[in-house]
Amino acid sequence: MAIIYLKEAILNFNQAVQTIKEELMWNAFIQYNKARAQYILSLLLQSNDKTWETTMKTAIDYRLKLVMILNDILDENQKTYFQRAFSDQLKLAQLMLIRLQIASNMPFEYNKSIDIGCDEFSRLKHIKNDIETYLKRQTITE
């Protein structure tokens, strides 16, 4: 049943993307969720399909553009709630990509200077801690 639901979800994400075309905000969210569905489906099917990685990178690109536009239009020194929230969404996607790459034994690039910002649910902090714990274990075993 999980495979059926995931395939249907991915189909619906694809249809949603066709509907909204290049709209930044919705693409940022749809592509992110589509990537996570693709990742879980690849695990369940035990496939080497890495489509999820490309989709997640697309989501990151959309989120980066959105943050850049907001910062260009609004005051970058005194950020609004939406600027901070969308910036955190960008960081969440970047950290999630690394977390999924680690789980898939894929090479990854980690920028330790990622600021965890105003994340109200501590998701960024937890993911960043997971990555740093993994890296510490790696250096101990080497």
Side-chain angles (χ1 to χ4, degrees):
M1 286 304 296
I3 291 170
I4 292 170
Y5 286 135
L6 287 166
K7 285 182 177 181
E8 283 297 313
I10 292 167
L11 179 68
N12 286 310
F13 288 135
N14 288 334
Q15 289 174 346
V17 167
Q18 290 302 316
T19 301
I20 60 171
K21 302 286 184 221
E22 293 296 318
E23 202 286 326
L24 287 176
M25 185 179 74
W26 289 113
N27 251 310
F29 288 106
I30 291 168
Q31 297 290 350
Y32 176 78
N33 288 314
K34 179 181 167 185
R36 295 186 311 156
Q38 289 171 325
Y39 176 78
I40 295 169
L41 182 61
S42 73
L43 288 178
L44 292 175
L45 295 176
Q46 298 177 347
S47 78
N48 289 330
D49 183 14
K50 304 293 185 218
T51 307
W52 63 266
E53 185 181 29
T54 303
T55 305
M56 185 65 80
K57 288 179 179 178
T58 300
I60 290 168
D61 287 344
Y62 279 113
R63 288 176 184 213
L64 179 60
K65 288 176 190 174
L66 186 57
V67 167
M68 289 170 55
I69 288 171
L70 286 172
N71 287 342
D72 185 51
I73 295 170
L74 302 170
D75 184 8
E76 197 169 341
N77 296 324
Q78 206 167 19
K79 295 189 180 215
T80 66
Y81 170 80
F82 286 109
Q83 282 174 284
R84 293 190 320 271
F86 284 119
S87 179
D88 278 352
Q89 288 294 316
L90 169 62
K91 294 170 199 170
L92 176 65
Q94 291 169 328
L95 291 171
M96 186 59 71
L97 173 63
I98 295 168
R99 186 187 242 180
L100 296 178
Q101 288 170 325
I102 289 170
S104 300
N105 278 331
M106 296 172 66
F108 63 92
E109 290 182 32
Y110 176 57
N111 180 354
K112 291 182 181 182
S113 66
I114 292 177
D115 172 32
I116 55 174
C118 68
D119 180 30
E120 295 181 26
F121 302 106
S122 297
R123 290 175 298 189
L124 296 176
K125 181 179 179 185
H126 292 305
I127 296 171
K128 188 173 180 180
N129 288 343
D130 288 348
I131 293 168
E132 289 174 352
T133 300
Y134 172 82
L135 290 172
K136 285 177 189 172
R137 281 193 211 132
Q138 290 299 99
T139 54
I140 292 171
T141 57
E142 292 174 355

